Amino acid sequence: MKTRTVTRHRWEPHTVDGETELVRVAYDVEVPLPPRDWDQLVRTAVTAGACLLVTVSVIWSTASIGDLLAIVVVSAAAYGAAVAFDTAWIMCMAVEWLCRYDPPRARTARRAGHVALLLAMGAVFAHGYIADQMVIGAVGALVSALAKGAWTIATSVHARPLDERTQQWVAKRRAKIDGQRAMIPVRRDLLRSQALIAAERAALAGPDSSPDADPDESGQSAARPDEDDQPVPSGPMTVKDAVRTALDSGISDPDRVLAYVRKVADANAKAETVATYIRRAKLAG
């Protein structure tokens, strides 16, 4: 049985001048060597081969399509645009891999990748046709097809298909979590909108709109009292009017007067302000 050497550490006492301390000491042990995972090696080789073919395809398509487009545009723009042909179907393959547990979305990416691949192959063949080298154009177009096929096979090696019931469970869980993630920017946008509305209202109200700026110009409210023993307001009123209405209705308790004022006139009315109006009303009466 094959083994391999592994370095480990342990604490051992070490004494110097009669004083002992624990020190960390390294030592080697032989452990069994696990058997080689040939399946993983083959998967890695397949993936590396697919990446190599994709790289060759991108280089060949870029050179071919770039030379074709350079007939009418500058070379830099032509070769830059040529990269888009193979990049399109490569991106679709990547999306297909990410959506491998979401069949509808993966199917859309797969179809888009096939369309992008056909366009790239057509452009390569068109280059051979323009150069009067149709055979070379056809063979060159197959390079992209081979790369696409190799990558599809490599993807199938790594894929782990789910049964129908598990697939439905994954879809429901993903939909729930995706909904929660989608609400993050929605809530952020709503909070931002509310802040803007509040800021605009504060700016339009002006500095003199505070209910404490002047007892005679307090905020107004059309709310109606719930208690039957309180007078029904006839319309918007100030704190002063609310105090007078409460006293005329037989409410003499300062706390009840304050509660009535806050209900029909100003929810933020101060007790001191109400008490002042009560004293003035009693002196005037």
Side-chain angles (χ1 to χ4, degrees):
M1 180 178 61
K2 294 183 178 180
T3 60
R4 59 190 177 97
T5 303
V6 177
T7 300
R8 296 178 179 176
H9 297 82
R10 62 190 174 195
W11 295 95
E12 294 183 357
H14 182 66
T15 304
V16 176
D17 294 335
E19 296 185 1
T20 304
E21 297 289 347
L22 291 177
V23 296
R24 195 163 179 258
V25 179
Y27 65 98
D28 296 334
V29 296
E30 297 293 328
V31 296
L33 187 65
R36 188 178 298 275
D37 189 352
W38 291 104
D39 290 345
Q40 184 60 34
L41 291 176
V42 172
R43 290 192 191 96
T44 303
V46 170
T47 304
C51 293
L52 178 61
L53 285 178
V54 169
T55 304
V56 171
S57 174
V58 171
I59 296 174
W60 174 263
S61 297
T62 301
S64 179
I65 301 174
D67 188 58
L68 174 65
L69 299 178
I71 298 176
V72 293
V73 296
V74 296
S75 298
Y79 286 95
V83 176
F85 282 85
D86 271 9
T87 303
W89 62 261
I90 293 173
M91 290 178 59
C92 289
M93 289 194 309
V95 173
E96 182 181 354
W97 167 258
L98 294 176
C99 300
R100 60 190 181 277
Y101 299 127
D102 191 348
R105 296 172 62 186
R107 191 178 305 113
T108 301
R110 187 182 306 112
R111 292 173 178 174
H114 290 158
V115 174
L117 175 63
L118 291 176
L119 292 176
M121 294 175 62
V124 173
F125 178 78
H127 177 254
Y129 179 79
I130 293 296
D132 198 17
Q133 298 290 338
M134 297 183 61
V135 175
I136 296 178
V139 174
L142 293 177
V143 174
S144 296
L146 290 174
K148 167 71 172 176
W151 190 260
T152 301
I153 294 175
T155 301
S156 65
V157 170
H158 293 277
R160 296 292 183 269
L162 303 176
D163 61 88
E164 183 179 357
R165 298 182 64 178
T166 304
Q167 182 67 62
Q168 294 182 20
W169 184 89
V170 171
K172 290 185 177 180
R173 293 291 298 177
R174 185 180 297 278
K176 183 182 296 184
I177 295 175
D178 287 347
Q180 295 175 357
R181 290 180 58 187
M183 288 304 298
I184 295 176
V186 172
R187 292 193 185 96
R188 186 184 298 117
D189 184 64
L190 292 177
L191 291 175
R192 187 183 298 110
S193 300
Q194 291 176 355
L196 290 175
I197 293 174
E200 183 178 5
R201 287 178 177 175
L204 293 177
D208 298 331
S209 61
S210 173
D212 299 328
D214 188 342
D216 291 334
E217 297 179 1
S218 303
Q220 299 175 351
S221 172
R224 295 180 302 175
D226 296 331
E227 294 79 11
D228 295 334
D229 59 342
Q230 292 184 349
V232 178
S234 58
M237 59 179 65
T238 64
V239 173
K240 181 178 180 181
D241 295 336
V243 171
R244 171 61 64 181
T245 301
L247 294 176
D248 293 343
S249 300
I251 302 176
S252 58
D253 187 351
D255 292 335
R256 294 184 60 192
V257 174
L258 176 62
Y260 177 77
V261 170
R262 289 179 174 176
K263 179 166 295 195
V264 302
D266 183 8
N268 298 318
K270 293 185 176 181
E272 295 82 359
T273 303
V274 173
T276 300
Y277 282 130
I278 292 176
R279 288 194 300 271
R280 292 179 182 178
K282 289 181 177 180
L283 292 174

